[in-house]
Amino acid sequence: MGVLALAERLDRLVRWIGERAAWLMVALMAVTVFDVVGRRFFVFGSTLLQELEWHLHTVNFCLALGFAYLADSHVRIDLLRERLSPRARAWIESLGCLLFFVPFCLVVLVVSLHFVEISFAQGERSSSGLGLPFRWAIKSFIPLSVVLLLLASVAILLKNLLFLFGPPDVRARLSDLHRPAAAPVGT
């Protein structure tokens, strides 16, 4: 398997998980509506429902982080970035991944695994007697999200390195990697 094929497989995996995670928003909306209607019209308040909302939101966010990075939906300093050539953008992205992003993900992964391990060992549960048990289960999505983010960053790093140093046919295939962003509507 070539480097580009590996990058594309990682990209597809992270996107597939992110797209599936988006469906959790439907469940989150249903639980939220049920909770709000129950509180307002039936005087039915539930700590369990509120915690379920929090858990669904957390899982959705964690599973979508890598997808957001691949979709270029993260914060950038566009004012500066737009003035750079595609090669300069690829260099900055590559160096950012190598020097900051990958090491950050690895540190957070190690720390979060320990965090989950402690929670599991203690049998941590909600501080509310009527809340959800197994707090470690929701905390386990933190290292999972970091792994997905790490896979996304490896895919982007590989694509950028191929854009910079790959054979001409591969560089041509990746030519839209750093195309200028579309102008906002109304400008």
Side-chain angles (χ1 to χ4, degrees):
M1 175 186 332
V3 175
L4 183 57
L6 174 63
E8 288 175 342
R9 278 191 178 181
L10 294 174
D11 186 301
R12 279 194 306 273
L13 173 67
V14 173
R15 285 180 191 272
W16 186 85
I17 291 170
E19 289 167 355
R20 300 312 171 276
W23 284 99
L24 289 172
M25 292 306 288
V26 174
L28 177 59
M29 287 186 287
V31 170
T32 303
V33 167
F34 183 77
D35 187 30
V36 169
V37 169
R39 285 178 189 282
R40 176 70 176 111
F41 298 107
F42 303 108
V43 192
F44 172 75
S46 171
T47 302
L48 184 89
L49 286 176
Q50 287 182 334
E51 288 189 8
L52 183 57
E53 291 168 25
W54 172 63
H55 285 161
L56 287 170
H57 186 269
T58 300
V59 170
N60 181 268
F61 178 83
C62 286
L63 294 178
L65 274 177
F67 177 81
Y69 184 42
L70 289 172
D72 207 21
S73 298
H74 53 292
V75 176
R76 291 195 182 272
I77 305 173
D78 286 333
L79 182 65
L80 299 175
R81 185 173 187 254
E82 293 304 315
R83 297 177 187 199
L84 300 173
S85 71
R87 287 190 63 77
R89 291 180 196 177
W91 271 106
I92 290 171
E93 193 76 36
S94 297
L95 290 172
C97 281
L98 283 172
L99 299 175
F100 301 108
F101 205 67
V102 170
F104 172 79
C105 286
L106 293 173
V107 168
V108 173
L109 179 61
V110 169
V111 171
S112 65
L113 284 170
H114 183 65
F115 180 64
V116 173
E117 181 184 21
I118 290 170
S119 181
F120 179 77
Q122 293 175 347
E124 187 179 6
R125 58 171 293 121
S126 172
S127 57
S128 170
L130 300 174
L132 294 173
F134 312 121
R135 182 67 53 95
W136 60 268
I138 193 66
K139 288 182 177 183
S140 67
F141 279 90
I142 297 168
L144 177 60
S145 70
V146 174
V147 167
L148 292 172
L149 208 48
L150 191 57
L151 293 175
S153 68
V154 168
I156 287 175
L157 174 62
L158 292 174
K159 287 180 182 180
N160 278 287
L161 291 175
L162 285 171
F163 178 77
L164 290 168
F165 305 111
D169 61 317
V170 173
R171 283 188 288 186
R173 196 167 155 197
L174 294 169
S175 63
D176 67 340
L177 190 62
H178 291 287
R179 68 183 180 281
V185 177
T187 57

